[in-house]
Amino acid sequence: MTDMNVGRYPRTEPLAVVAAVVLIGAYLLLHLVVGTESWPVVARIGVGLMPAAAIAVAIAIELRIIRRVDELQQRIQLEALAFGYPGAILVIVAIRFLRTEGVLTSWHLGDIWPLLTVPYFVGLALAWRRYK
Amino acid sequence: MTCELYVVDRCLPEAGVECTVAALPMKNRLKVLRAERNWSQADLAKRLGVSRQTVNAIETEKYDPSLPLAFKLAELFGMKIEGMFERDGE
């Protein structure tokens, strides 16, 4: 590990971030403004996968960051993920069964997926506090 | 029961119980050694190539460093690892 890597979090790869933002922006533009209903299936598949490609870029960035940070930061990330992944499953199961019971019937996972990231950030805060 | 360098939980070979080493917390002298050299946590972090938070967590014994980082610390202070770290209770 070199001195360039010193610091809590290194700078992210700017080009990859720009690529992810462009992909999301292009998807919103094509889907909401231009309209793709009349496009061939192959083209619609391409447009539909743009957000997934942006998320893949984000995963690649996250992996590069985690490989570069020091061992304590890696542990903090591990603890955050160890909390966040089962926490996301807990949220899914809770909403699923609440819907079965006739509560929160208007909540659809497709609409509330950002909620699934909350347990990760809670785990990150807990781990951060532990090693503060 | 102690067995040379290690604190042993239980050791009954005749009963088929292997010796197991108790997981005692680690203590270290990092804060003292750093202060002797008038280094700030940030100075030490830079020399080690880690974050200041990592140095602080090691000093406050909230985090035990990996073996490579422990060797790096020992090398930096010109000591052996066992001169810097010891198991609590020994």
Side-chain angles (χ1 to χ4, degrees):
Chain A
M1 195 177 285
T2 67
D3 285 348
M4 286 175 64
N5 299 322
V6 174
R8 285 178 176 165
Y9 289 97
R11 281 172 289 181
T12 56
E13 287 68 12
L15 283 177
V17 173
V18 169
V21 171
V22 166
L23 279 167
I24 295 282
Y27 170 77
L28 292 174
L29 181 72
L30 292 171
H31 186 71
L32 300 176
V33 180
V34 177
T36 57
E37 296 85 5
S38 59
W39 289 18
V41 173
V42 175
R44 278 185 281 148
I45 289 173
V47 172
L49 289 178
M50 279 180 171
I55 292 171
V57 170
I59 292 170
I61 293 170
E62 176 73 4
L63 281 174
R64 287 179 67 114
I65 291 171
I66 286 178
R67 284 177 186 150
R68 206 185 298 162
V69 294
D70 72 35
E71 58 188 57
L72 178 61
Q73 306 305 322
Q74 287 177 344
R75 173 175 287 206
I76 288 171
Q77 288 295 326
L78 175 66
E79 291 187 16
L81 289 169
F83 188 92
Y85 184 65
I89 293 173
L90 187 147
V91 171
I92 292 170
V93 169
I95 291 173
R96 172 72 180 82
F97 282 96
L98 283 171
R99 291 189 65 205
T100 304
E101 294 300 320
V103 185
L104 303 178
T105 50
S106 61
W107 288 36
H108 299 281
L109 281 178
D111 302 326
I112 60 155
W113 62 266
L115 197 63
L116 301 181
T117 62
V118 171
Y120 164 77
F121 288 106
V122 172
L124 190 62
L126 290 173
W128 189 266
R129 190 177 162 204
R130 182 177 178 190
Y131 297 110
K132 190 176 163 188
Chain B
M1 186 187 298
T2 57
C3 176
E4 295 188 359
L5 291 174
Y6 304 107
V7 177
V8 175
D9 275 341
R10 44 195 182 145
C11 187
L12 300 167
E14 65 279 4
V17 178
E18 299 289 327
C19 292
T20 57
V21 180
L24 294 174
M26 299 291 296
K27 291 174 65 177
N28 70 70
R29 300 179 53 222
L30 188 56
K31 192 170 185 176
V32 174
L33 292 167
R34 179 176 63 77
E36 284 173 359
R37 286 158 179 78
N38 287 324
W39 291 345
S40 66
Q41 286 186 340
D43 292 335
L44 180 57
K46 192 171 182 182
R47 288 166 194 269
L48 291 169
V50 299
S51 64
R52 194 196 61 77
Q53 185 186 17
T54 301
V55 170
N56 184 61
I58 295 170
E59 280 189 2
T60 53
E61 294 166 359
K62 291 177 181 171
Y63 174 71
D64 293 330
S66 67
L67 202 50
L69 183 55
F71 269 108
K72 209 169 178 179
L73 274 164
E75 191 178 321
L76 186 63
F77 287 107
M79 304 174 72
K80 290 189 171 180
I81 284 183
E82 55 266 37
M84 292 195 66
F85 298 93
E86 64 179 26
R87 283 149 59 92
D88 201 1
E90 285 188 344

